[in-house]
Amino acid sequence: MKQSEIKELSVAELQEKLSETKKSYSDLKLAHAISPLENPIQLRSVRRSVARIATELTKRELQ
């Protein structure tokens, strides 16, 4: 998910998206631990998406 897409979402949508991406990340980690993923770069991209969403939520809370 790109930063420009994240900025357009509301706070409620961001919180929902954050929980979805965190669950997706944990599922990917578990799948990767059992048998290697075909594309392990997915882990990095999902982890960075979680960070982007969390950063935007924190930024909005401080304003």
Side-chain angles (χ1 to χ4, degrees), residues 2-22:
K2 294 186 178 182
Q3 189 66 29
S4 58
E5 297 170 354
I6 293 172
K7 286 183 179 182
E8 295 173 359
L9 299 175
S10 69
V11 174
E13 290 171 330
L14 282 174
Q15 290 172 341
E16 182 181 329
K17 198 70 163 167
L18 181 62
S19 64
E20 288 174 10
T21 51
K22 279 186 177 182

PDB file of all heavy atoms in Angstrom, residues 2-22:
ATOM      1  N   LYS A   2       0.591   2.155  -0.885  1.00  0.00           N
ATOM      2  CA  LYS A   2       1.410   3.350  -1.025  1.00  0.00           C
ATOM      3  C   LYS A   2       0.987   4.421  -0.028  1.00  0.00           C
ATOM      4  O   LYS A   2      -0.140   4.439   0.462  1.00  0.00           O
ATOM      5  CB  LYS A   2       1.295   3.903  -2.439  1.00  0.00           C
ATOM      6  CG  LYS A   2       1.878   2.976  -3.478  1.00  0.00           C
ATOM      7  CD  LYS A   2       1.872   3.619  -4.825  1.00  0.00           C
ATOM      8  CE  LYS A   2       2.515   2.695  -5.830  1.00  0.00           C
ATOM      9  NZ  LYS A   2       2.569   3.290  -7.145  1.00  0.00           N
ATOM     10  N   GLN A   3       1.909   5.324   0.257  1.00  0.00           N
ATOM     11  CA  GLN A   3       1.659   6.400   1.218  1.00  0.00           C
ATOM     12  C   GLN A   3       0.511   7.296   0.755  1.00  0.00           C
ATOM     13  O   GLN A   3      -0.293   7.745   1.562  1.00  0.00           O
ATOM     14  CB  GLN A   3       2.938   7.225   1.407  1.00  0.00           C
ATOM     15  CG  GLN A   3       2.868   8.218   2.529  1.00  0.00           C
ATOM     16  CD  GLN A   3       2.756   7.568   3.883  1.00  0.00           C
ATOM     17  OE1 GLN A   3       3.236   6.469   4.100  1.00  0.00           O
ATOM     18  NE2 GLN A   3       2.099   8.233   4.801  1.00  0.00           N
ATOM     19  N   SER A   4       0.418   7.546  -0.539  1.00  0.00           N
ATOM     20  CA  SER A   4      -0.657   8.391  -1.058  1.00  0.00           C
ATOM     21  C   SER A   4      -2.026   7.741  -0.828  1.00  0.00           C
ATOM     22  O   SER A   4      -3.007   8.436  -0.560  1.00  0.00           O
ATOM     23  CB  SER A   4      -0.447   8.668  -2.537  1.00  0.00           C
ATOM     24  OG  SER A   4      -0.398   7.465  -3.263  1.00  0.00           O
ATOM     25  N   GLU A   5      -2.096   6.420  -0.923  1.00  0.00           N
ATOM     26  CA  GLU A   5      -3.350   5.710  -0.660  1.00  0.00           C
ATOM     27  C   GLU A   5      -3.709   5.770   0.820  1.00  0.00           C
ATOM     28  O   GLU A   5      -4.881   5.887   1.179  1.00  0.00           O
ATOM     29  CB  GLU A   5      -3.231   4.249  -1.089  1.00  0.00           C
ATOM     30  CG  GLU A   5      -3.008   4.050  -2.562  1.00  0.00           C
ATOM     31  CD  GLU A   5      -2.657   2.614  -2.917  1.00  0.00           C
ATOM     32  OE1 GLU A   5      -2.473   1.794  -1.997  1.00  0.00           O
ATOM     33  OE2 GLU A   5      -2.568   2.321  -4.103  1.00  0.00           O
ATOM     34  N   ILE A   6      -2.705   5.695   1.670  1.00  0.00           N
ATOM     35  CA  ILE A   6      -2.927   5.697   3.115  1.00  0.00           C
ATOM     36  C   ILE A   6      -3.458   7.052   3.575  1.00  0.00           C
ATOM     37  O   ILE A   6      -4.348   7.124   4.425  1.00  0.00           O
ATOM     38  CB  ILE A   6      -1.627   5.327   3.858  1.00  0.00           C
ATOM     39  CG1 ILE A   6      -1.277   3.864   3.568  1.00  0.00           C
ATOM     40  CG2 ILE A   6      -1.748   5.559   5.352  1.00  0.00           C
ATOM     41  CD1 ILE A   6       0.061   3.430   4.077  1.00  0.00           C
ATOM     42  N   LYS A   7      -2.940   8.130   3.009  1.00  0.00           N
ATOM     43  CA  LYS A   7      -3.352   9.470   3.421  1.00  0.00           C
ATOM     44  C   LYS A   7      -4.814   9.747   3.121  1.00  0.00           C
ATOM     45  O   LYS A   7      -5.444  10.568   3.778  1.00  0.00           O
ATOM     46  CB  LYS A   7      -2.481  10.519   2.739  1.00  0.00           C
ATOM     47  CG  LYS A   7      -1.093  10.602   3.310  1.00  0.00           C
ATOM     48  CD  LYS A   7      -0.289  11.692   2.659  1.00  0.00           C
ATOM     49  CE  LYS A   7       1.091  11.769   3.267  1.00  0.00           C
ATOM     50  NZ  LYS A   7       1.886  12.838   2.708  1.00  0.00           N
ATOM     51  N   GLU A   8      -5.371   9.055   2.135  1.00  0.00           N
ATOM     52  CA  GLU A   8      -6.756   9.285   1.743  1.00  0.00           C
ATOM     53  C   GLU A   8      -7.762   8.596   2.655  1.00  0.00           C
ATOM     54  O   GLU A   8      -8.945   8.934   2.644  1.00  0.00           O
ATOM     55  CB  GLU A   8      -6.966   8.811   0.302  1.00  0.00           C
ATOM     56  CG  GLU A   8      -6.178   9.605  -0.704  1.00  0.00           C
ATOM     57  CD  GLU A   8      -6.256   9.031  -2.108  1.00  0.00           C
ATOM     58  OE1 GLU A   8      -6.913   7.991  -2.286  1.00  0.00           O
ATOM     59  OE2 GLU A   8      -5.641   9.623  -3.012  1.00  0.00           O
ATOM     60  N   LEU A   9      -7.317   7.631   3.463  1.00  0.00           N
ATOM     61  CA  LEU A   9      -8.225   6.868   4.318  1.00  0.00           C
ATOM     62  C   LEU A   9      -8.558   7.612   5.603  1.00  0.00           C
ATOM     63  O   LEU A   9      -7.764   8.429   6.085  1.00  0.00           O
ATOM     64  CB  LEU A   9      -7.601   5.515   4.662  1.00  0.00           C
ATOM     65  CG  LEU A   9      -7.295   4.586   3.485  1.00  0.00           C
ATOM     66  CD1 LEU A   9      -6.574   3.346   3.987  1.00  0.00           C
ATOM     67  CD2 LEU A   9      -8.549   4.202   2.747  1.00  0.00           C
ATOM     68  N   SER A  10      -9.719   7.299   6.179  1.00  0.00           N
ATOM     69  CA  SER A  10     -10.094   7.895   7.459  1.00  0.00           C
ATOM     70  C   SER A  10      -9.414   7.113   8.585  1.00  0.00           C
ATOM     71  O   SER A  10      -8.825   6.052   8.357  1.00  0.00           O
ATOM     72  CB  SER A  10     -11.612   7.840   7.636  1.00  0.00           C
ATOM     73  OG  SER A  10     -12.024   6.497   7.819  1.00  0.00           O
ATOM     74  N   VAL A  11      -9.527   7.624   9.803  1.00  0.00           N
ATOM     75  CA  VAL A  11      -8.886   6.985  10.950  1.00  0.00           C
ATOM     76  C   VAL A  11      -9.463   5.587  11.176  1.00  0.00           C
ATOM     77  O   VAL A  11      -8.730   4.627  11.428  1.00  0.00           O
ATOM     78  CB  VAL A  11      -9.043   7.855  12.219  1.00  0.00           C
ATOM     79  CG1 VAL A  11      -8.511   7.138  13.444  1.00  0.00           C
ATOM     80  CG2 VAL A  11      -8.304   9.179  12.034  1.00  0.00           C
ATOM     81  N   ALA A  12     -10.784   5.458  11.082  1.00  0.00           N
ATOM     82  CA  ALA A  12     -11.419   4.148  11.284  1.00  0.00           C
ATOM     83  C   ALA A  12     -10.960   3.147  10.220  1.00  0.00           C
ATOM     84  O   ALA A  12     -10.688   1.982  10.531  1.00  0.00           O
ATOM     85  CB  ALA A  12     -12.928   4.298  11.252  1.00  0.00           C
ATOM     86  N   GLU A  13     -10.863   3.619   8.979  1.00  0.00           N
ATOM     87  CA  GLU A  13     -10.400   2.747   7.903  1.00  0.00           C
ATOM     88  C   GLU A  13      -8.942   2.353   8.113  1.00  0.00           C
ATOM     89  O   GLU A  13      -8.558   1.208   7.837  1.00  0.00           O
ATOM     90  CB  GLU A  13     -10.558   3.437   6.551  1.00  0.00           C
ATOM     91  CG  GLU A  13     -11.989   3.613   6.108  1.00  0.00           C
ATOM     92  CD  GLU A  13     -12.122   4.490   4.874  1.00  0.00           C
ATOM     93  OE1 GLU A  13     -11.282   5.390   4.668  1.00  0.00           O
ATOM     94  OE2 GLU A  13     -13.078   4.255   4.122  1.00  0.00           O
ATOM     95  N   LEU A  14      -8.138   3.287   8.610  1.00  0.00           N
ATOM     96  CA  LEU A  14      -6.730   2.983   8.879  1.00  0.00           C
ATOM     97  C   LEU A  14      -6.600   1.925   9.967  1.00  0.00           C
ATOM     98  O   LEU A  14      -5.777   1.010   9.850  1.00  0.00           O
ATOM     99  CB  LEU A  14      -5.973   4.252   9.295  1.00  0.00           C
ATOM    100  CG  LEU A  14      -5.589   5.207   8.180  1.00  0.00           C
ATOM    101  CD1 LEU A  14      -4.992   6.474   8.760  1.00  0.00           C
ATOM    102  CD2 LEU A  14      -4.609   4.560   7.226  1.00  0.00           C
ATOM    103  N   GLN A  15      -7.389   2.043  11.021  1.00  0.00           N
ATOM    104  CA  GLN A  15      -7.328   1.054  12.099  1.00  0.00           C
ATOM    105  C   GLN A  15      -7.745  -0.319  11.604  1.00  0.00           C
ATOM    106  O   GLN A  15      -7.139  -1.338  11.956  1.00  0.00           O
ATOM    107  CB  GLN A  15      -8.200   1.498  13.268  1.00  0.00           C
ATOM    108  CG  GLN A  15      -7.629   2.690  13.998  1.00  0.00           C
ATOM    109  CD  GLN A  15      -8.574   3.262  15.032  1.00  0.00           C
ATOM    110  OE1 GLN A  15      -9.771   3.016  14.991  1.00  0.00           O
ATOM    111  NE2 GLN A  15      -8.030   4.037  15.950  1.00  0.00           N
ATOM    112  N   GLU A  16      -8.772  -0.358  10.767  1.00  0.00           N
ATOM    113  CA  GLU A  16      -9.221  -1.628  10.193  1.00  0.00           C
ATOM    114  C   GLU A  16      -8.146  -2.219   9.283  1.00  0.00           C
ATOM    115  O   GLU A  16      -7.843  -3.412   9.352  1.00  0.00           O
ATOM    116  CB  GLU A  16     -10.507  -1.399   9.400  1.00  0.00           C
ATOM    117  CG  GLU A  16     -11.093  -2.645   8.802  1.00  0.00           C
ATOM    118  CD  GLU A  16     -12.349  -2.355   8.013  1.00  0.00           C
ATOM    119  OE1 GLU A  16     -13.082  -1.404   8.355  1.00  0.00           O
ATOM    120  OE2 GLU A  16     -12.589  -3.085   7.029  1.00  0.00           O
ATOM    121  N   LYS A  17      -7.563  -1.370   8.457  1.00  0.00           N
ATOM    122  CA  LYS A  17      -6.519  -1.819   7.532  1.00  0.00           C
ATOM    123  C   LYS A  17      -5.291  -2.303   8.302  1.00  0.00           C
ATOM    124  O   LYS A  17      -4.644  -3.283   7.896  1.00  0.00           O
ATOM    125  CB  LYS A  17      -6.146  -0.656   6.607  1.00  0.00           C
ATOM    126  CG  LYS A  17      -5.435  -1.075   5.370  1.00  0.00           C
ATOM    127  CD  LYS A  17      -6.371  -1.801   4.453  1.00  0.00           C
ATOM    128  CE  LYS A  17      -5.796  -1.846   3.069  1.00  0.00           C
ATOM    129  NZ  LYS A  17      -6.507  -2.796   2.228  1.00  0.00           N
ATOM    130  N   LEU A  18      -4.971  -1.630   9.419  1.00  0.00           N
ATOM    131  CA  LEU A  18      -3.827  -2.025  10.226  1.00  0.00           C
ATOM    132  C   LEU A  18      -4.028  -3.424  10.792  1.00  0.00           C
ATOM    133  O   LEU A  18      -3.116  -4.257  10.735  1.00  0.00           O
ATOM    134  CB  LEU A  18      -3.604  -1.018  11.359  1.00  0.00           C
ATOM    135  CG  LEU A  18      -2.418  -1.286  12.278  1.00  0.00           C
ATOM    136  CD1 LEU A  18      -1.121  -1.242  11.490  1.00  0.00           C
ATOM    137  CD2 LEU A  18      -2.384  -0.277  13.408  1.00  0.00           C
ATOM    138  N   SER A  19      -5.204  -3.700  11.322  1.00  0.00           N
ATOM    139  CA  SER A  19      -5.450  -5.031  11.876  1.00  0.00           C
ATOM    140  C   SER A  19      -5.412  -6.100  10.778  1.00  0.00           C
ATOM    141  O   SER A  19      -4.888  -7.195  10.993  1.00  0.00           O
ATOM    142  CB  SER A  19      -6.772  -5.074  12.625  1.00  0.00           C
ATOM    143  OG  SER A  19      -7.847  -4.848  11.756  1.00  0.00           O
ATOM    144  N   GLU A  20      -5.932  -5.776   9.592  1.00  0.00           N
ATOM    145  CA  GLU A  20      -5.897  -6.724   8.473  1.00  0.00           C
ATOM    146  C   GLU A  20      -4.460  -7.029   8.044  1.00  0.00           C
ATOM    147  O   GLU A  20      -4.104  -8.189   7.833  1.00  0.00           O
ATOM    148  CB  GLU A  20      -6.651  -6.164   7.275  1.00  0.00           C
ATOM    149  CG  GLU A  20      -8.145  -6.118   7.420  1.00  0.00           C
ATOM    150  CD  GLU A  20      -8.825  -5.417   6.252  1.00  0.00           C
ATOM    151  OE1 GLU A  20      -8.147  -5.133   5.237  1.00  0.00           O
ATOM    152  OE2 GLU A  20     -10.027  -5.152   6.364  1.00  0.00           O
ATOM    153  N   THR A  21      -3.650  -5.992   7.922  1.00  0.00           N
ATOM    154  CA  THR A  21      -2.283  -6.205   7.455  1.00  0.00           C
ATOM    155  C   THR A  21      -1.434  -6.898   8.516  1.00  0.00           C
ATOM    156  O   THR A  21      -0.562  -7.696   8.173  1.00  0.00           O
ATOM    157  CB  THR A  21      -1.613  -4.899   7.005  1.00  0.00           C
ATOM    158  OG1 THR A  21      -1.750  -3.919   8.025  1.00  0.00           O
ATOM    159  CG2 THR A  21      -2.201  -4.385   5.722  1.00  0.00           C
ATOM    160  N   LYS A  22      -1.687  -6.618   9.790  1.00  0.00           N
ATOM    161  CA  LYS A  22      -0.964  -7.327  10.850  1.00  0.00           C
ATOM    162  C   LYS A  22      -1.295  -8.818  10.814  1.00  0.00           C
ATOM    163  O   LYS A  22      -0.414  -9.664  10.981  1.00  0.00           O
ATOM    164  CB  LYS A  22      -1.301  -6.749  12.228  1.00  0.00           C
ATOM    165  CG  LYS A  22      -0.525  -5.506  12.566  1.00  0.00           C
ATOM    166  CD  LYS A  22      -0.811  -5.082  13.987  1.00  0.00           C
ATOM    167  CE  LYS A  22       0.018  -3.884  14.379  1.00  0.00           C
ATOM    168  NZ  LYS A  22      -0.211  -3.475  15.775  1.00  0.00           N
TER     169      LYS A  22
END
